Amino acid sequence: MDLIKSVTFGAILSAAIALVIGSQGTSAGPLAIHLVDVADARFFWSWPVFFSGTGLCFGMLLLQR
């Protein structure tokens, strides 16, 4: 259950950060922000931010036990 919560938080964090930085027209170097087309929707996404946010949240949830 903790992993599902962590993945959700990682996705929200990645979308929020990528939206702010990506809309400025930069890829932010190591964050690797890129524009993703899904059906008719376009949004910015960053896999490194997603994985690091998921890991951070998972660690925090494990510390709360």
Side-chain angles (χ1 to χ4, degrees), residues 8-45:
T8 303
F9 177 75
I12 292 169
L13 180 70
S14 179
I17 291 175
L19 175 67
V20 171
I21 296 175
S23 64
Q24 300 298 318
T26 182
S27 67
L31 294 182
I33 296 172
H34 58 277
L35 189 62
V36 177
D37 294 322
V38 176
D40 291 335
R42 298 174 71 185
F43 60 95
F44 292 99
W45 187 253

